[in-house]
Amino acid sequence: MIGVLVSGSGTNLQALLDAGLPIVAVASNRSDAPALALARASCPTAAFALGDFPDRSARDAAMAGWLAEQGVRLVVLAGYMQLLTPAFLDRFPDAVVNVHPSLLPAFPGAHAVEEQLAAGVEEAGATVHFVDEGVDSGPILRQERVPVLPGDTAESLHERIKAVEHRLLPEVVRELCAR
Ligand code: GRF
């Protein structure tokens, strides 16, 4: 039973749904995230905005509790743009994974695509990894290289990376479900 956390457009969430994976809940830090709207047709959704809680731990505890109530055993971050605290991670040990648009440990953080272009790398990539308290720093499960082409913009490179993410993430999640 999978729970997905989202903050953005939700193309990775769509790839997970298209793969027929057992997604039972989708949560976000933003009530207006397009990904949350996309999920509403498929399963229960909820928003946990930081401003509605005294602190980050309280928000994360509430979000983890709600996911657990829905029967979630594996959590997938699909474009979730906030760090998770132990209040969340301790509820799902070794069961939180993230997808990131670079060949980690190179280029962690929220601006990985722009930074790879600025650094002039010939190869970017996509990584699926376990989540810990750091910024994109948990153990790597799978990664794949993606070429940077002449004339690439952040948008064109990100689209090419996302095409790989949409294949890689459902594959890894399916394997984790079979553990
Ligand atoms: C993806 O590139 C993912 O690697 C990063 O955020 C982006 C989310 O895109 N963490 P989407 O919301 O799945 O379209």
Side-chain angles (χ1 to χ4, degrees), residues 8-13 78-81 98-101 158 162 165-166:
S9 61
T11 62
N12 278 288
L13 169 64
Y80 182 70
M81 299 307 284
N98 180 44
V99 60
H100 180 79
H158 204 172
K162 279 190 177 192
E165 292 180 348
H166 298 162

Side-chain angles (χ1 to χ4, degrees), residues 4 6 8-18 23 26 31-43 45:
V4 184
V6 293
S9 61
T11 62
N12 278 288
L13 169 64
Q14 187 65 59
L16 293 165
L17 290 167
D18 291 346
I23 296 170
V26 175
S31 59
D32 63 345
L36 206 57
L38 181 154
R40 279 189 193 113
S42 309
C43 65
T45 64

Side-chain angles (χ1 to χ4, degrees), residues 1-156:
M1 303 278 241
I2 299 166
V4 184
L5 299 187
V6 293
S7 303
S9 61
T11 62
N12 278 288
L13 169 64
Q14 187 65 59
L16 293 165
L17 290 167
D18 291 346
L21 290 160
I23 296 170
V24 296
V26 175
S28 181
N29 59 308
R30 289 179 45 195
S31 59
D32 63 345
L36 206 57
L38 181 154
R40 279 189 193 113
S42 309
C43 65
T45 64
F48 297 86
L50 207 44
D52 294 342
F53 296 88
D55 58 28
R56 197 170 276 268
S57 284
R59 189 276 303 275
D60 283 4
M63 190 160 68
W66 181 77
L67 290 170
E69 277 168 25
Q70 313 303 313
V72 167
R73 304 289 298 276
L74 175 69
V75 179
V76 181
L77 311 194
Y80 182 70
M81 299 307 284
Q82 298 201 325
L83 288 179
L84 291 170
T85 58
F88 188 98
L89 295 170
D90 291 350
R91 290 289 292 269
F92 298 100
D94 297 323
V96 183
V97 298
N98 180 44
V99 60
H100 180 79
S102 78
L103 293 171
L104 290 173
F107 303 102
H111 306 290
V113 178
E114 292 82 352
E115 287 171 10
Q116 287 170 101
L117 271 184
V121 297
E122 289 179 2
E123 282 182 322
T127 301
V128 181
H129 65 96
F130 279 123
V131 172
D132 62 17
E133 283 177 69
V135 179
D136 303 316
S137 56
I140 291 169
L141 286 158
R142 187 88 59 85
Q143 52 189 186
E144 194 168 306
R145 294 171 188 282
V146 175
V148 179
L149 301 180
D152 256 342
T153 61
E155 290 70 31
S156 64

